[in-house]
Amino acid sequence: MSFTRRRFCAVAGALGATASAPNRPNILWITSEDNGPFLGCYGDAFADTPNLDRMAAQGTVYENAFTAFPVCAPTRSTLIMGVWANSAGTGHMRSRVALSPAIRLFPSLLREAGYYCTNNYKEDYNTPTPAGVWDESSRRATYRNRRPGQPFFHVVNHGTTHESSMFKPRELVHDPRRAVIPPYHPDNEVFRRDRARYYDNITQLDRQVGKLLADLEADGLAEDTIVFYFSDHGGIFPRGKRFVYDSGTRVPLIVHFPKKYRHLAPTEPGRRTNRLVSFVDFAPTILSLAGARIPDYMQGRAFLGTQAGPPREYVCSARDRMGPCPDLSRAVRDRRFRYIRNYMPHLPAFQYDSFAMGIPCWANLWQLYREGRLNALERRIFEPKPPEELYDIHEDPHEIHNLAERAEFREVLENMRSRCDTWLKEIRDVSFIPELEMHRLSRGTTAYDFARDDRRYPFERVLRLAGATRLEELAPHLGDAHTVMQYWAVVGCRRLDRGAAPVKKELAAAMRQSPSPSVKMAAAELLCRLGDEREPLALLEGYLASEEPWTRMHAAVTLGWLGARARAAVPALRKAAGDRENYPKLAAQNALLYIGGES
């Protein structure tokens, strides 16, 4: 549609009407990092959180709020766009993928509607922030600089509970003896002390929230402001952050409505709701509360305000590359069950991450695993994953007993699998394009726009192949005209391991002839496992010297997956361990650890 003068006047008039609408609420977002619902108001008896508990007693507590990704940058990307990061191409950690012109970060829409928008101060959207998103985004950003009578949207982020806060020991306030240790963690002094330190951090966070609310009251704005509090994803312990279980994706969400705006609240003060809410819903919800139009490209559903949609039947979460560790898992959660589809089940749920190892309990768990001193449940995260997982949250809140192979849950499994496929098709999940191919194939456009063209990205074909399990399904696509199909054919063969030996010749052809470095490296890894090491290792070593940092990173990761088979590459990896870029450097260091015990 052309942007005619009549259309311009209509849009300008609508925006003007919105901007001058009376009694629009101020909106304050208070966010914290790396903490699940470890609060008194969520029934946690170990928590000391009087300010957040008071906010809950005067507001609405959401029992079923879920992050988009169990790590910060892709989740923040989803929050700020109202579009899934794995739809926009921003699902890989620190990927810095270009934003599609079709997508706008929602504070810019609020600004057009007359709001004063400030952020204090973390962005971390996995894409460069365009001009015009914020009136101010800095450590000093405040709502106090707005025009008289101008409504505001203000974000305050607290890193008090971030995993890095656990790196240095401190005197404890919480008693480690009272800490509750989940069954998948060793019950030892290290885990108990870390649990106590973490709850000390949550208490400190609670004080910071209390001060913010007191400042709002002192400024005379409490009765004009709707306040949200939530965390970006789950906590810092093993199976929390980076994992698509409830422990990594379920978050606290409290929303307080002053009396003036209580008609917008979903419950009476102090009540709870079991409505399923996803982070992709937050952008349209804020626009709905502000009286601004929700754009058609947004994939979320407003859960408050005049444009609120019907409650969700299920929510979804995703895991792509985290740090230098590639993976691809998708999860669906309704009020009772969680379903997880692992598209790379041959990889362990946890690949070594030196940043997480700064936390004593993580280092302790890794050491115990290397020494063979963990039981079957405790060591599960270091082992290959099942292709599908299904958990009954009511009966098994720790998600220990996988029901995917149980005949009596077959109907539930098929229903949840169908929901997962429907979601992936609706958003055209771009992360099924391997990361290097995403950058290569979308050159000149963006990953989001590339993925909307079915000729260039035949997603339903890709999705079917990514789930294929039989060699006869996979082998014909090793020479497919589309490199994404080639890639998933090779990855499928990798899952078969020695079962892929009959197609060694085709794998070698893919390694030599594919235009895709992702296909070449995946084929090289499998050929090494099948006994042909010289040429594949030479190819992987060559990619360690690529000018492209993401290529160097993936080459180092692949060598690490080979373990002792890649011992001949140790000199090249030692050189790569001094890379000027962080993720290629970390990948090389991790590979050396896996290959020869070096750290």
Side-chain angles (χ1 to χ4, degrees), residues 137-409:
S137 179
S138 73
R139 291 178 183 269
R140 307 180 74 173
T142 173
Y143 54 77
R144 296 186 178 109
N145 295 330
R146 71 196 188 285
R147 297 191 309 271
Q150 185 180 14
F152 67 78
F153 172 67
H154 183 51
V155 177
V156 181
N157 183 77
H158 294 293
T160 310
T161 50
H162 187 266
E163 63 185 336
S164 59
S165 67
M166 300 289 289
F167 292 173
K168 294 181 180 179
R170 295 190 307 273
E171 185 176 349
L172 298 177
V173 177
H174 282 76
D175 183 353
R177 293 171 299 181
R178 294 185 52 238
V180 177
I181 306 298
Y184 46 77
H185 290 165
D187 189 350
N188 63 28
E189 183 180 355
V190 178
F191 271 84
R192 286 190 168 276
R193 288 187 63 83
D194 273 6
R195 203 86 180 176
R197 288 176 59 203
Y198 184 60
Y199 276 76
D200 287 352
N201 292 344
I202 291 172
T203 299
Q204 184 182 350
L205 164 69
D206 182 78
R207 294 192 193 103
Q208 293 168 329
V209 172
K211 184 180 184 306
L212 270 176
L213 297 177
D215 289 345
L216 193 70
E217 184 79 40
D219 288 340
L221 294 168
E223 289 305 311
D224 297 302
T225 306
I226 298 171
V227 182
F228 286 68
Y229 162 72
F230 58 96
S231 169
D232 59 354
H233 48 71
I236 54 89
F237 297 100
R239 277 195 33 147
K241 182 177 183 177
R242 303 179 181 89
F243 293 83
V244 288
Y245 301 111
D246 263 27
S247 48
T249 63
R250 183 169 171 252
V251 297
L253 171 61
I254 306 168
V255 186
H256 177 261
F257 295 83
K259 186 176 181 180
K260 184 175 183 179
Y261 297 109
R262 199 160 288 164
H263 62 283
L264 297 172
T267 70
E268 293 298 315
R271 304 296 286 272
R272 314 173 91 78
T273 175
N274 67 353
R275 178 169 180 150
L276 289 159
V277 170
S278 168
F279 274 15
V280 77
D281 300 330
F282 279 45
T285 295
I286 298 304
L287 294 174
S288 177
L289 287 171
R293 188 183 69 84
I294 300 170
D296 293 339
Y297 66 79
M298 284 192 174
Q299 296 166 347
R301 179 184 301 178
F303 57 90
L304 294 169
T306 57
Q307 300 172 74
R312 290 183 174 275
E313 294 182 10
Y314 60 92
V315 293
C316 305
S317 301
R319 169 176 172 154
D320 290 334
R321 176 179 56 75
M322 300 201 180
C325 306
D327 206 343
L328 198 154
S329 295
R330 299 294 180 259
V332 175
R333 170 72 147 82
D334 63 18
R335 289 188 180 87
R336 179 167 180 178
F337 292 98
R338 172 175 292 277
Y339 169 79
I340 301 172
R341 182 65 182 269
N342 296 306
Y343 287 93
M344 295 183 171
H346 55 287
L347 298 178
F350 176 78
Q351 300 170 59
Y352 186 87
D353 188 302
S354 57
F355 194 75
M357 290 298 155
I359 304 171
C361 68
W362 263 112
N364 175 252
L365 192 70
W366 176 254
Q367 180 182 353
L368 293 174
Y369 168 68
R370 302 280 280 189
E371 295 172 353
R373 295 166 58 195
L374 297 179
N375 64 36
L377 178 57
E378 293 164 352
R379 68 173 178 263
R380 187 182 291 176
I381 64 171
F382 300 113
E383 299 172 342
K385 306 179 291 290
E388 293 183 295
E389 301 174 62
L390 180 68
Y391 301 100
D392 183 340
I393 305 299
H394 289 183
E395 300 297 324
D396 179 25
H398 292 295
E399 296 165 284
I400 293 170
H401 305 291
N402 185 8
L403 307 175
E405 299 296 328
R406 297 265 295 272
E408 62 267 40
F409 290 95

